[in-house]
């Protein structure tokens, strides 16, 4: 934007904008529904965050409810059930991050190294499939497999290990079950960006490595992985920022009265307190606090990767 543009009056800038809109009205008309959607469902609800600082009453409404300052946040700090959900969320997310971040990379490299195209497409389809199934379906499958007479115990029996317990009722196993099942569902879908990046690698790099006598593992380590540097950094930043965000659908399907002490995560806690118990102000305060922490993690992870990437940010 030039200095001349800044000197234009508001009316002149509006006329220029309307002329530009008229010349591109076909494209602009395609954008308008998305803008309206964002305004209604992303920006207008921001006003509801004021509930976190009020004694909300359904009768009085958001505007008529009295302000209470930071009382809701003080209550959060004293709520042991909230802190239990924080520990569970962080524990499950940490396992997801450690396993779920690496697994798509490994699967993508294995698929990329396959030479027979029909088999490669078959493997891709099989690994993508769980992503398109809802947690209602996958949760039902897991509950059946983990039951006392399910497939998991049958596998144990095949190896001579007799185990007739229902694993979904064991709270101590829930973190691992929740994390690994989420990785199983999303790992294949997570390979898309990696495979797309790998397809753009200059094949002459591999040809030069063949001439030098490099093994397949050496080519993966020295060519493939360095080419994924930016997308790996981006996915790591997004994964770290989501440490305190959990899968509500998965939790509601897999959680029961026996494993609830280890299964209750922040999202399900907000759902239960806000909708089931009707304490909307407290639930809003919890959600706002988690969002602020997620933004801090996002900025921190981006700053760290920027330092590791010679001050070049990926966001």
């Amino acid at each position: 934007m030039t200095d001349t543009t800044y000197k234009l009056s508001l009316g002149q800038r509006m006329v220029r904008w309307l002329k530009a809109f008229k010349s591109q009205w076909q494209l602009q008309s395609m954008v308008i529904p998305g803008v309206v959607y964002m305004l209604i469902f992303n920006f207008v609800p921001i006003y509801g965050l004021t509930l976190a600082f009020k004694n909300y009453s359904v009768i009085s409404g958001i505007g008529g409810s009295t302000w209470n300052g930071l009382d809701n946040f003080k209550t959060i700090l004293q709520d042991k059930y909230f802190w239990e959900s924080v520990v569970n969320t962080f524990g499950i997310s940490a396992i997801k991050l450690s396993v779920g971040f690496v697994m798509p990379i490994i699967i993508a490299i294995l698929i990329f190294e396959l030479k027979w195209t029909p088999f490669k497409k078959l493997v891709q389809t099989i690994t993508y499939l769980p992503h398109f199934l809802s947690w209602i379906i996958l949760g039902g499958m897991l509950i059946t497999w983990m039951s006392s007479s399910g497939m998991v115990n049958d596998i144990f029996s095949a190896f001579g290990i007799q185990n007739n317990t229902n694993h979904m009722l064991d709270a101590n196993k829930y973190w691992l079950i929740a994390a690994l099942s989420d990785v199983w569902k999303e790992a294949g879908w997570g390979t898309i960006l990696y495979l797309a990046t790998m397809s753009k690698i200059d094949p002459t790099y591999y040809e030069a490595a063949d001439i030098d006598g490099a093994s397949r593992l050496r080519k993966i380590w020295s060519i493939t992985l360095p080419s994924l540097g930016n997308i790996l950094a981006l996915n790591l930043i997004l994964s770290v920022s989501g440490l305190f965000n959990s899968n509500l659908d998965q939790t509601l399907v897999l959680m029961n009265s026996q494993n609830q002490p280890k299964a209750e995560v922040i999202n399900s806690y907000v759902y239960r307190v806000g909708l089931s118990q009707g304490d909307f102000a407290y639930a809003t305060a919890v959600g706002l606090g988690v969002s602020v922490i997620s933004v801090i993690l996002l900025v921190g992870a981006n700053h760290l990767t920027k330092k590791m990437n010679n001050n070049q940010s990926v966001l």
Side-chain angles (χ1 to χ4, degrees), residues 63 87 96 131 193 204 223 247 256 294 299:
V87 172
K96 287 181 182 179
H131 171 79
L193 289 177
T204 57
I223 300 174
N247 194 323
N256 54 58
S294 297
V299 174

Side-chain angles (χ1 to χ4, degrees), residues 93-107 183 187 190 194 228-240:
S93 297
I95 299 174
K96 287 181 182 179
L97 178 61
S98 58
V99 179
F101 180 74
V102 177
M103 192 59 63
I105 302 172
I106 296 175
I107 296 174
V183 172
Y194 298 129
L228 298 176
N230 287 334
I231 193 65
L232 286 174
L234 177 61
N235 282 343
L236 179 61
I237 291 171
L238 296 177
S239 298
V240 171

Side-chain angles (χ1 to χ4, degrees), residues 50-58 60-62 64-69 71-72 75 279-282:
T50 57
L51 284 177
F53 308 95
K54 291 188 173 185
N55 287 318
Y56 177 69
S57 170
V58 177
S60 302
I62 298 177
S65 299
T66 58
W67 297 90
N68 65 357
D71 288 350
N72 290 325
T75 305
D279 195 346
F280 300 106
Y282 182 78

Side-chain angles (χ1 to χ4, degrees), residues 27-93:
L27 296 175
Q28 298 292 349
S29 61
M30 296 174 63
V31 175
I32 289 175
V35 173
V36 173
Y37 176 87
M38 290 186 62
L39 289 174
I40 295 175
F41 295 101
N42 293 94
F43 288 92
V44 173
I46 292 177
Y47 172 68
L49 292 178
T50 57
L51 284 177
F53 308 95
K54 291 188 173 185
N55 287 318
Y56 177 69
S57 170
V58 177
I59 298 175
S60 302
I62 298 177
S65 299
T66 58
W67 297 90
N68 65 357
L70 299 177
D71 288 350
N72 290 325
F73 295 94
K74 293 177 182 178
T75 305
I76 292 174
L77 297 177
Q78 301 170 358
D79 188 349
K80 69 173 185 177
Y81 297 108
F82 167 74
W83 290 110
E84 287 178 0
S85 69
V86 170
V87 172
N88 292 335
T89 303
F90 185 79
I92 295 172
S93 297

Side-chain angles (χ1 to χ4, degrees), residues 252-274:
L252 294 180
V253 172
L254 299 183
M255 184 170 62
N256 54 58
S257 59
Q258 298 298 314
N259 63 24
Q260 184 173 357
K262 292 290 185 180
E264 185 83 273
V265 292
I266 295 174
N267 285 349
S268 64
Y269 179 74
V270 171
Y271 173 84
R272 181 166 58 83
V273 173

